[in-house]
Amino acid sequence: MALDNENAFKLNFGVNTDSFFGIGFGLIGNNDIAALKAEFGEFFNLLNSYGIRTIEINTEIEQLHPGSLRDLIIPLINSFQPVDAPAATGMDFSVTVHLPYLQLNPASPLEEYRKFSANAVVNIIKAVRACEGLPVKKFVIHLTSEFEDSILFFPVGEETKKALIETASAQARKSMSEILAGTGLDPQAFAIENLEVFPFEYLYPIAEELGVSVCFDMGHWGLNGFMPEDFLKRFGLGHIGEINIQDMAEKRTDMRTTVRNEHRPLGTGILNTAGFFNYLAGKKCAGPLIIENRSKEDLITSLEYLKSGGFL
């Protein structure tokens, strides 16, 4: 399925750094400056060849290696010259930032850890804002962690689960308020992402109350058996500031078990991605729509899918 017509509204597609470098960018592997510079050159040339002008930077690298954004990543972005335009002064990139989440939990019931997590997020944002020439459009944040995702699987009663979820939501709201106060940024600079299992209806009121936008992750939503359009029917399009796009594979392993695998290349799974993109184009969704795959090969498959469908 392709874009409904050639004159349709063009969506703003982008790419998360994890889609090229793999999850754990900056945490594992070779962080040699020369090697990273060569890889970033390949990354940017790939984006340029498909006309992509929005990138999302995963900032785990800054948390574990303070100064990496200022000293390495941002200079690489600002100095890049496309191979097809050697006289250029660089690429006009729009940037969103995915705040660190692997080591943090802003919804932790342990108050000291919650405060540490909120402060760590504030420090990353300050490090990003200290970088000259970085046009950040949105900061995407996980307000809960895998611990909160596991609550629904705890061997406890439903009332106990509800109490734990409400506690996590209250802690998340406290952290979001502190992050807003600690950065002084407009609430619309942030987007709260829906995660794999934790019910988003408990986090959405935080977005409404504090004026923060929403990052809709269609893969996380799909893990619960829902199609992308279902999220918009439930929460609307008005608060959405970013959409993380991917496809999902589904495989039945036995008579009673079905396994869903997210972060698959666009057009290779069950999420009716073309139909969803046509819907967003019809609504003139400003996006951005950020591709979240887990390898360079999968990213290329996604980009080819968008190109062949007339979306790029």
Side-chain angles (χ1 to χ4, degrees):
M1 183 176 181
L3 189 63
D4 282 344
N5 66 77
E6 294 182 356
N7 297 318
F9 179 82
K10 283 292 186 180
L11 298 169
N12 174 22
F13 291 94
V15 175
N16 184 289
T17 49
D18 282 357
S19 297
F20 185 89
F21 298 95
I23 192 168
F25 164 62
L27 303 181
I28 56 177
N30 184 5
N31 290 328
D32 175 72
I33 292 179
L36 275 176
K37 185 173 183 179
E39 284 190 287
F40 262 92
E42 184 182 356
F43 175 54
F44 291 141
N45 279 317
L46 176 64
L47 301 190
N48 185 53
S49 68
Y50 286 93
I52 299 292
R53 289 295 181 271
T54 300
I55 60 173
E56 181 166 273
I57 302 173
N58 190 312
T59 51
E60 303 289 345
I61 188 172
E62 178 67 24
Q63 186 185 354
L64 292 188
H65 306 286
S68 296
L69 289 173
R70 179 195 65 233
D71 299 334
L72 176 60
I73 306 303
I74 305 310
L76 288 176
I77 294 174
N78 291 336
S79 66
F80 173 69
Q81 294 186 349
V83 293
D84 60 354
T89 58
M91 280 185 69
D92 183 20
F93 277 119
S94 176
V95 175
T96 66
V97 168
H98 199 301
L99 293 164
Y101 63 94
L102 293 175
Q103 323 288 328
L104 305 176
N105 184 5
S108 174
L110 301 174
E111 185 64 8
E112 185 176 356
Y113 185 36
R114 184 204 65 77
K115 286 183 177 180
F116 170 83
S117 298
N119 288 336
V121 169
V122 169
N123 289 335
I124 293 295
I125 293 170
K126 289 180 177 179
V128 170
R129 297 184 71 195
C131 298
E132 295 183 4
L134 187 64
V136 177
K137 301 297 185 183
K138 195 71 68 175
F139 289 95
V140 176
I141 185 168
H142 289 195
L143 281 182
T144 57
S145 72
E146 291 187 0
F147 171 79
E148 284 70 37
D149 272 348
S150 67
I151 289 174
L152 293 181
F153 303 104
F154 285 176
V156 296
E158 293 304 311
E159 288 301 314
T160 301
K161 290 179 183 179
K162 182 179 178 182
L164 289 170
I165 289 172
E166 289 176 345
T167 296
S169 302
Q171 293 291 82
R173 186 200 176 283
K174 194 185 300 184
S175 289
M176 190 71 247
S177 297
E178 290 175 6
I179 291 167
L180 289 171
T183 61
L185 289 174
D186 188 307
Q188 282 294 302
F190 294 91
I192 300 172
E193 183 173 339
N194 64 295
L195 300 182
E196 287 90 340
V197 180
F198 191 84
F200 193 65
E201 54 264 32
Y202 283 88
L203 296 181
Y204 186 71
I206 299 175
E208 287 191 304
E209 180 184 349
L210 300 181
V212 177
S213 66
V214 169
C215 174
F216 168 44
D217 189 300
M218 58 192 289
H220 292 165
W221 185 247
L223 285 174
N224 295 289
F226 300 114
M227 298 302 284
E229 293 87 345
D230 296 328
F231 186 91
L232 302 186
K233 289 176 183 177
R234 185 175 300 188
F235 300 107
L237 189 60
H239 283 293
I240 293 180
E242 178 175 312
I243 300 177
N244 291 343
I245 60 173
Q246 56 200 266
D247 217 325
M248 175 168 294
E250 185 175 75
K251 181 180 180 180
R252 174 170 284 185
T253 58
D254 58 44
M255 189 170 65
R256 292 183 175 84
T257 305
T258 298
V259 176
R260 298 186 180 97
N261 186 11
E262 60 175 334
H263 296 297
R264 304 310 304 148
L266 297 172
T268 65
I270 65 172
L271 292 184
N272 185 27
T273 50
F276 183 55
F277 298 155
N278 275 313
Y279 173 84
L280 293 175
K283 295 293 184 180
K284 297 186 176 181
C285 175
L289 282 65
I290 303 295
I291 300 171
E292 279 197 345
N293 294 142
R294 289 294 183 252
S295 72
K296 176 174 62 176
E297 294 74 22
D298 285 354
L299 172 59
I300 292 173
T301 299
S302 291
L303 291 170
E304 280 295 312
Y305 170 81
L306 293 174
K307 182 179 179 180
S308 64
F311 293 105
L312 290 179

